[in-house]
């Protein structure tokens, strides 16, 4: 398959190239081979994209919401029809196995386009009666939105940001991570094919500096970032200069608590999904797995046994269920954490090594006897490394689960219904799971508290973050004034 796109950027409804921009080599993580070459946006490209988004916005907002929604729903249909090709591309871009990408990436992108397409026409203001007078509110778009994406879910992130933004009548300039620049171009192409006017959804490539230049441009009204906490801090600060709206979907170090009374198979499934899906490169992963002492041996035994079913190899092979990490750099980072885990005294239960394959493969790795102060229990690793920590009581584990600066997600496995809800209420996290882990349906809000972010993606809550309310006061009687 030829994955070289027609050009690096998609602006004003067309592919456009500017070879003056810094070269971006796209590397297939499963082989280390360069599979496409793109160019970072020059100042002229950034300007062109923003000018196009600015110019298109008023016209797009003047369409009825039903008309805008129809475009999004058509785009969802096209994405589903092309699921196979889009999944193959996502696998080349990220290295995630086709077994995952064929059911998660373009499909969840299509879900977002369909959901917000359907919701668009229901976005309304309200009427507030004040005696004879009244106020009505208009829910209006923000204007030009900038989306900046991480590399783990390039199609999904492009859609999770684009769909609600466009449904509300905004236009968007999206910058994918330079590590995975291919998929968002397809999202732009499909939206355009579905009837989005030129300039409504633009994609430009680039390193952090391009993202930074977008955030401070006077034409930009909102910035939505998916990325790490350090980048989030920089982008939040830069956006504050212009008092711009922000959504920050940042990193995490989420707890997954398994009580003695939990079903062991389900708890192991939750821990696998919350640590090894996408080779552990998921922001909401439950990487601190607190296991009550009575179930620890059974849990570790079943976990180790089930990890024997991991199948690595060419991620395009539908039988392969575990891919490489995204880049050589990311593999070095994860290996550094594994070495720290060993050095600080955690017990290496399984994994920990590179795999004898081309590409950036690492074994799924489990540490037991991890304590709260160890580096692997405190820092986000973003790779296939699970830390298992022991605990005795509910109060103790809740306090320890919350003892982190992050607050993205949290999960609990237990057969005790009231305890499950008590834990969910006590977790300091934006997204909680009971007897499951890492589900992210478009109907439910997704986002973090504490350092993990501000704002919510998906669900009706996202509408709040891509629109603003205008109140209009209407007087029905003569107006009195003091003089
Ligand atoms: P980074 O924070 O390194 O980068 C995120 C994006 O921001 C990239 O497109 C990056 O460009 C860009 N960027 C970097 N510096 C700046 C800047 N100063 N101004 C504007 N943009 C900038 O994250 P990663 O790509 O490494 O992704 C991993 C991180 O993302 C993890 O921490 C993970 O938890 C988080 N994440 C959060 C999710 C959530 O929903 N909460 C979901 C997925 C991931 P470039 O890549 O070119 O440097």
């Amino acid at each position: 398959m030829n994955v070289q796109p027609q050009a690096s950027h998609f602006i004003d409804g067309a592919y456009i190239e500017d070879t003056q921009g810094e070269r971006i080599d796209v590397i297939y993580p499963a082989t280390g081979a360069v599979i496409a070459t793109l160019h970072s946006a020059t100042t002229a490209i950034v300007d062109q994209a923003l000018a196009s988004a600015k110019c298109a916005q008023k016209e797009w907002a003047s369409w009825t919401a039903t008309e805008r929604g129809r475009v999004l729903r058509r785009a969802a249909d096209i994405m589903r029809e092309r699921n196979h090709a889009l999944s193959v591309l996502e696998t080349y871009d990220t290295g995630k196995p086709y077994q995952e990408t064929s059911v998660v990436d373009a499909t969840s992108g299509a879900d977002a386009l369909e959901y917000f397409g359907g919701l668009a026409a229901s976005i309304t203001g309200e009427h507030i009666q004040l005696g004879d007078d009244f106020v009505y509110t208009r829910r209006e778009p923000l204007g030009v939105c900038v989306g900046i994406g991480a590399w783990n879910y390039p199609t999904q992130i492009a859609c999770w940001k684009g769909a609600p933004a466009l449904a509300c009548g905004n236009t968007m300039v999206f910058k994918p991570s330079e590590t995975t620049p291919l998929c968002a171009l397809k999202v732009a192409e499909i939206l355009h094919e579905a009837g989005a006017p030129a300039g409504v959804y633009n994609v430009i490539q680039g390193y952090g500096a391009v993202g930074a230049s977008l955030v401070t441009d006077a034409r930009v009204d909102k910035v939505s970032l998916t990325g790490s906490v350090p980048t989030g801090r920089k982008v939040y600060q830069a956006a504050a200069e212009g008092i711009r709206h922000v959504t920050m979907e940042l990193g995490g170090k989420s707890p997954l608590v398994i009580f003695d009374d939990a079903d062991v198979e389900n708890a192991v499934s939750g821990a696998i999904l919350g640590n090894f899906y996408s080779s552990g490169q998921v922001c909401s992963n439950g990487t601190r797995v607190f296991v009550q002492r009575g179930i620890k041996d059974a849990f570790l035994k079943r976990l180790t046994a089930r990890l024997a079913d991991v199948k690595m190899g060419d991620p395009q092979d539908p039988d392969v269920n575990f891919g490489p990490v995204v880049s050589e750099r990311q593999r070095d980072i994860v290996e550094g954490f594994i070495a720290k885990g060993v050095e600080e005294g955690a017990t290496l239960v399984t994994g920990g090594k590179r795999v004898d394959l081309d590409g950036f493969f690492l074994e799924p790795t489990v540490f037991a006897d991890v304590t709260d102060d160890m580096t692997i229990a405190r820092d986000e690793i973003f790779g296939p490394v699970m830390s298992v920590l022991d605990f005795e009581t509910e109060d103790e584990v809740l306090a320890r689960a919350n003892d982190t600066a992050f607050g993205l997600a949290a999960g609990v496995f237990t057969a005790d219904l009231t305890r499950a809800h008590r834990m969910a209420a006590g977790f300091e996290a934006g997204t909680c799971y009971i007897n499951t882990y890492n589900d992210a349906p478009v109907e439910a809000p997704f986002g973090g508290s504490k350092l993990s972010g501000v704002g919510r993606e998906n669900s009706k809550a996202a509408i709040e973050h891509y629109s603003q309310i205008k109140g209009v006061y209407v007087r029905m009687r003569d107006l009195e004034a003091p003089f």
Side-chain angles (χ1 to χ4, degrees):
M1 182 177 170
N2 178 15
V3 299
Q4 177 69 42
Q6 267 181 55
S8 299
H9 319 288
F10 192 95
I11 300 174
D12 211 33
Y15 275 100
I16 177 163
E17 190 55 86
D18 182 350
T19 53
Q20 297 296 306
E22 198 178 341
R23 184 184 159 127
I24 298 174
D25 283 331
V26 187
I27 293 168
Y28 184 31
T31 60
V34 176
I35 51 171
T37 300
L38 283 76
H39 295 274
S40 178
T42 54
T43 315
I45 287 286
V46 172
D47 183 59
Q48 227 174 306
L50 287 170
S52 168
K54 181 83 185 164
C55 176
Q57 196 268 320
K58 289 263 178 314
E59 160 76 12
W60 176 241
S62 78
W63 287 28
T64 68
T66 305
E67 289 168 329
R68 288 198 301 270
R70 198 172 296 139
V71 169
L72 299 185
R73 286 186 294 105
R74 243 186 251 132
D77 290 344
I78 300 173
M79 283 195 91
R80 289 212 177 89
E81 279 158 25
R82 296 186 195 157
N83 184 51
H84 171 69
L86 293 170
S87 306
V88 168
L89 187 68
E90 174 96 19
T91 290
Y92 277 121
D93 222 2
T94 62
K96 292 184 295 182
Y98 177 82
Q99 199 183 93
E100 283 185 22
T101 57
S102 57
V103 294
V104 168
D105 294 278
T107 54
S108 66
D111 286 352
L113 291 163
E114 185 175 26
Y115 177 85
F116 288 106
L119 198 63
S122 311
I123 302 170
T124 57
E126 63 176 339
H127 171 100
I128 304 157
Q129 196 67 40
L130 299 164
D132 290 336
D133 294 353
F134 61 94
V135 169
Y136 66 91
T137 64
R138 294 165 50 92
R139 191 161 275 283
E140 298 186 340
L142 300 172
V144 174
C145 300
V146 161
I148 303 176
W151 41 256
N152 55 347
Y153 284 87
T155 305
Q156 185 186 77
I157 294 172
C159 293
W160 279 17
K161 297 189 189 308
L166 268 50
C168 291
N170 305 283
T171 53
M172 175 158 273
V173 177
F174 185 80
K175 188 205 84 69
S177 164
E178 94 285 348
T179 312
T180 54
L182 302 175
C183 297
L185 290 168
K186 289 290 172 199
V187 175
E189 213 181 285
I190 288 170
L191 277 163
H192 188 62
E193 200 178 323
V200 165
Y201 190 91
N202 310 276
V203 172
I204 63 170
Q205 310 295 343
Y207 297 87
V210 170
S213 71
L214 288 170
V215 174
T216 47
D217 192 282
R219 289 165 285 195
V220 173
D221 302 287
K222 183 199 167 113
V223 180
S224 177
L225 169 81
T226 297
S228 61
V229 172
T231 303
R233 270 207 189 90
K234 282 189 225 156
V235 171
Y236 205 166
Q237 262 167 16
E241 175 77 25
I243 318 288
R244 296 190 172 87
H245 297 254
V246 294
T247 297
M248 295 280 144
E249 291 290 350
L250 309 178
K253 189 74 196 176
S254 301
L256 171 55
V257 178
I258 297 167
F259 283 96
D260 282 347
D261 62 356
D263 178 281
V264 178
E265 274 327 304
N266 285 337
V268 169
S269 295
I272 288 173
L273 289 171
N275 281 272
F276 299 128
Y277 210 68
S278 301
S279 296
Q281 303 163 117
V282 181
C283 51
S284 49
N285 270 357
T287 46
R288 289 184 295 141
V289 183
F290 291 94
V291 181
Q292 207 166 15
R293 280 196 208 274
I295 200 176
K296 180 182 174 186
D297 289 347
F299 174 82
L300 286 177
K301 195 167 156 219
R302 282 304 295 147
L303 177 65
T304 322
R306 286 178 57 181
L307 286 177
D309 292 335
V310 163
K311 188 167 187 309
M312 295 188 232
D314 178 0
Q316 299 289 358
D317 174 349
D319 290 334
V320 165
N321 56 22
F322 191 85
V325 296
V326 77
S327 63
E328 192 170 5
R329 179 172 170 267
Q330 192 62 17
R331 182 172 64 182
D332 291 346
I333 292 171
V334 178
E335 282 184 323
F337 278 109
I338 293 172
K340 267 264 183 248
V342 172
E343 187 188 311
E344 293 180 6
T347 307
L348 184 61
V349 176
T350 181
K353 296 190 298 297
R354 286 188 186 193
V355 179
D356 189 20
L357 285 168
D358 292 338
F360 316 123
F361 287 88
L362 275 175
E363 292 174 334
T365 301
V366 178
F367 281 106
D369 308 314
V370 176
T371 53
D372 297 345
D373 54 337
M374 289 182 185
T375 307
I376 55 171
R378 303 223 64 88
D379 293 359
E380 184 182 45
I381 299 176
F382 227 59
V385 183
M386 181 194 300
S387 295
V388 176
L389 303 92
D390 305 341
F391 78 92
E392 305 275 358
T393 69
E394 183 181 323
D395 287 349
E396 169 213 336
V397 77
L398 186 60
R400 290 171 60 200
N402 287 336
D403 183 19
T404 167
F406 297 109
L408 189 52
V412 58
F413 278 80
T414 177
D416 181 336
L417 191 65
T418 51
R419 175 161 65 191
H421 292 292
R422 257 197 322 273
M423 289 292 290
F427 282 137
E428 295 169 0
T431 309
C432 293
Y433 303 98
I434 295 175
N435 292 334
T436 183
Y437 205 84
N438 260 354
D439 312 66
V442 68
E443 298 88 343
F446 183 83
S449 56
K450 294 157 83 176
L451 286 192
S452 293
V454 287
R456 291 292 177 269
E457 294 198 303
N458 289 342
S459 80
K460 283 179 267 184
I463 299 301
E464 301 286 334
H465 301 289
Y466 283 101
S467 60
Q468 58 192 335
I469 289 176
K470 179 185 279 174
V472 182
Y473 194 111
V474 182
R475 180 168 287 274
M476 301 293 286
R477 296 154 291 157
D478 288 338
L479 189 57
E480 285 176 23
F483 50 85

